[in-house]
Amino acid sequence: MKTRTLIPILTGVATCSVLVLGATSFAASPPKTQTVHSSQSKIAWGHHRRAMKRHLSQVTQVTSTTVTVQRSGGKSQTLNLSALRVRAGIYPASSSLLAVGQRVLVCDVKSASPQLIVIPVAHGVLTQTNGSWTVVNSKETITLKGAPQQLMGLSALAPNKHVMVFGQKSGTTVVPNVIAARPQRMEGTVVSNQNGTLTVKTKTNASLVINEANLPMAKWLAKIPVGHHVVVVMDPLTQKPLAVMPRHHDKMARMGRFAVGKLTSDTSQALVLQNPLGSQTVPLSGTTVNVVWKNHPNASLSSVPLGTPLLVHRTGAHALEIRVF
């Protein structure tokens, strides 16, 4: 799994937890920026890689009652399927999705209901040519071999839909098990939170009632105070909530130290990244930004073109490192 696919899952599904797009303009007054020397950048990038590897596991065995996963460091663990909550990205799924070789993220291991989040093998825009479906992104074109066993977030395959694909990949061909649509996002404000029921006021629904027990981060959801700003992640087909995330300045602090995606907006207050699961806002006010960009030793954030893939790492309470791909 490539970095730009992995990180949205790490930061968007769990705090083990995606996030909206703003206006597409460069910063009139860019934040304080300094360039990281090459030796520093190598050290920082090594930290990124090690942190990502620590979170990932691979499925090594699936039986009728258990699944065994092994972390990249070699540690294995066996989980009972009866208590396990399986997710295809952010969508609830059944254990039938699991297969040997899959890259997964294991969360809430010590709880009564641990989660196993399956990482997609491909993502991009659906395209149909001569009766065959492909998934196209900026790096490659993936050919889908056969019809998926299940669709999530869409009733049928359709051109120009942004999707994640789960299945067996070989080269640029995927035998799909599940194809899931990119979820919708809706900003809102918590108006009530008690007895496992969260009520959120949004622009289209003054009283959106959400059962916390069915969502990721249930323990965190139970602690959200009234008046807190959140993002509700929705199934675009059924409009059912898939997750509730903190919004704006809380995102990087609560959802993880990493963010990845294409730059879609850059102001003196925030930058917005677009990734396969949606958009993510990274606040910049009062923050020192270190830019790492090969062959651009004096680059500032305002000089990075819109559409450029970025990796953002919060290195301190008031410090960010931004790596330009």
Side-chain angles (χ1 to χ4, degrees), residues 4-274:
R4 61 172 47 89
T5 304
L6 164 63
I7 296 298
I9 301 297
L10 290 178
T11 59
V13 179
T15 318
C16 144
S17 249
V18 187
L19 338 175
V20 296
L21 288 171
T24 54
S25 61
F26 288 112
S29 302
K32 180 181 178 182
T33 305
Q34 64 187 62
T35 301
V36 178
H37 298 298
S38 59
S39 60
Q40 291 176 304
S41 99
K42 290 180 180 179
I43 294 172
W45 185 240
H47 290 324
H48 293 320
R49 293 174 63 87
R50 287 191 293 272
M52 287 184 286
K53 287 181 179 180
R54 282 198 299 269
H55 285 86
L56 271 182
S57 297
Q58 187 173 40
V59 176
T60 58
Q61 185 181 39
V62 182
T63 71
S64 60
T65 58
T66 64
V67 57
T68 301
V69 300
Q70 184 174 18
R71 283 205 168 184
S72 56
K75 183 179 180 180
S76 294
Q77 58 186 138
T78 299
L79 304 169
N80 291 323
L81 294 179
S82 59
L84 191 65
R85 290 179 294 171
V86 179
R87 288 185 175 268
I90 204 165
Y91 288 86
S94 70
S95 59
S96 62
L97 175 64
L98 301 177
V100 172
Q102 285 175 329
R103 306 293 294 279
V104 295
L105 181 65
V106 183
C107 306
D108 301 330
V109 179
K110 296 182 180 180
S111 70
S113 300
Q115 292 190 65
L116 194 67
I117 300 167
V118 180
I119 308 297
V121 297
H123 65 88
V125 178
L126 278 172
T127 304
Q128 190 174 38
T129 305
N130 298 324
S132 298
W133 288 100
T134 59
V135 175
V136 181
N137 59 45
S138 61
K139 294 295 183 181
E140 59 184 352
T141 297
I142 304 295
T143 301
L144 302 183
K145 187 176 180 180
Q149 299 173 9
Q150 186 177 5
L151 299 177
M152 296 179 176
L154 66 168
S155 58
L157 299 184
N160 301 319
K161 287 285 188 179
H162 291 261
V163 297
M164 299 178 292
V165 183
F166 303 84
Q168 300 299 316
K169 183 179 181 182
S170 177
T172 57
T173 300
V174 172
V175 179
N177 293 329
V178 172
I179 296 181
R182 183 170 63 188
Q184 293 179 344
R185 274 155 186 79
M186 184 182 303
E187 294 190 1
T189 304
V190 175
V191 296
S192 175
N193 188 5
Q194 53 186 339
N195 301 323
T197 300
L198 185 69
T199 305
V200 178
K201 180 181 179 180
T202 70
K203 289 183 178 180
T204 58
N205 191 335
S207 184
L208 176 62
V209 179
I210 301 169
N211 184 352
E212 297 170 352
N214 296 331
L215 303 184
M217 303 186 298
K219 290 183 178 180
W220 175 81
L221 294 180
K223 299 176 183 178
I224 301 179
V226 172
H228 197 73
H229 299 298
V230 296
V231 174
V232 182
V233 185
M234 311 282 289
D235 183 316
L237 181 64
T238 65
Q239 295 300 301
K240 291 183 178 180
L242 299 172
V244 177
M245 307 292 182
R247 193 177 73 183
H248 297 319
H249 62 276
D250 292 325
K251 286 181 180 178
M252 291 294 288
R254 291 184 180 271
M255 294 167 59
R257 301 176 65 87
F258 295 92
V260 157
K262 291 185 178 181
L263 180 66
T264 60
S265 175
D266 172 17
T267 72
S268 60
Q269 298 299 311
L271 64 85
V272 180
L273 301 176
Q274 183 74 24

